[in-house]
Amino acid sequence: MSYDLKNSIESFLPKNNNPLQFPDTLFVEIEKTISYQDLQFNAPDKPDETINLKQTVTKEQYINRVNELKAHIQQGDIYEINYCLTFEATNVRIDPLTIYQKLNAISQASYAALIKLDTQYIICSSPELFLSKKANRLI
């Protein structure tokens, strides 16, 4: 479930930018489990050695937004915020498995995923559990 799924349930504005058009929900049924060492992806012949990540908001926009959020806390509209920044790189060739391995070596997060959707990949690493199923109970 994507972070923006909440926008389908509640009227939150503004909506976040989603240029890659990943679905708001994605449910999968695992057909086969393979070991980490057996993972194979069709990596580009020659991945880019340098990737220039760019922030999607300016420093001024970031500061203004933080101040707006602080005002909402003071007004009692909200009590908790997880304000995140997006960084993008366009027209680059990467090896998703290598990037995933590097991310996990750096973050050592408890929850990580490498998901392939047709020609797109979701690479993530998080210290937080979002959803878990134990027997017939969702946590």
Side-chain angles (χ1 to χ4, degrees), residues 57-73:
V57 297
T58 66
K59 182 178 180 180
E60 182 179 289
Q61 290 170 321
Y62 174 80
I63 291 170
N64 288 339
R65 186 65 181 144
V66 167
N67 287 332
E68 289 172 9
L69 294 169
K70 287 166 111 178
H72 281 288
I73 290 173

Side-chain angles (χ1 to χ4, degrees), residues 109-129:
S110 301
Y111 305 98
L114 173 58
I115 302 166
K116 182 177 186 220
L117 301 170
D118 296 319
T119 60
Q120 296 178 307
Y121 294 87
I122 298 173
I123 303 170
C124 66
S125 181
S126 175
E128 300 176 86
L129 173 64

Side-chain angles (χ1 to χ4, degrees), residues 132-139:
S132 176
K133 182 180 179 215
K134 292 183 181 176
N136 63 353
R137 183 176 171 175
L138 289 178
I139 301 169

Side-chain angles (χ1 to χ4, degrees), residues 2-139:
S2 78
Y3 183 77
D4 287 330
L5 179 61
K6 70 185 181 328
N7 296 329
S8 302
I9 300 166
E10 298 286 341
S11 297
F12 289 113
L13 293 175
K15 282 192 156 214
N16 293 322
N17 184 17
N18 184 9
L20 300 177
Q21 299 302 306
F22 280 110
D24 282 343
T25 58
L26 177 68
F27 297 91
V28 296
E29 183 176 342
I30 298 172
E31 296 174 3
K32 180 180 176 184
T33 302
I34 59 175
S35 72
Y36 187 73
Q37 291 78 14
D38 293 335
L39 290 175
Q40 293 181 5
F41 290 93
N42 295 326
D45 293 334
K46 186 174 185 229
D48 295 336
E49 292 183 20
T50 303
I51 299 174
N52 295 318
L53 292 174
K54 295 181 181 174
Q55 245 179 256
T56 58
V57 297
T58 66
K59 182 178 180 180
E60 182 179 289
Q61 290 170 321
Y62 174 80
I63 291 170
N64 288 339
R65 186 65 181 144
V66 167
N67 287 332
E68 289 172 9
L69 294 169
K70 287 166 111 178
H72 281 288
I73 290 173
Q74 291 169 343
Q75 295 168 8
D77 299 331
I78 55 178
Y79 64 92
E80 182 178 336
I81 300 168
N82 182 5
Y83 179 50
C84 301
L85 294 178
T86 301
F87 292 82
E88 296 177 346
T90 56
N91 301 317
V92 295
R93 295 163 53 102
I94 66 166
D95 175 358
L97 181 57
T98 299
I99 298 295
Y100 175 75
Q101 290 169 326
K102 286 181 180 180
L103 175 64
N104 282 300
I106 293 167
S107 66
Q108 299 180 3
S110 301
Y111 305 98
L114 173 58
I115 302 166
K116 182 177 186 220
L117 301 170
D118 296 319
T119 60
Q120 296 178 307
Y121 294 87
I122 298 173
I123 303 170
C124 66
S125 181
S126 175
E128 300 176 86
L129 173 64
F130 181 71
L131 185 66
S132 176
K133 182 180 179 215
K134 292 183 181 176
N136 63 353
R137 183 176 171 175
L138 289 178
I139 301 169

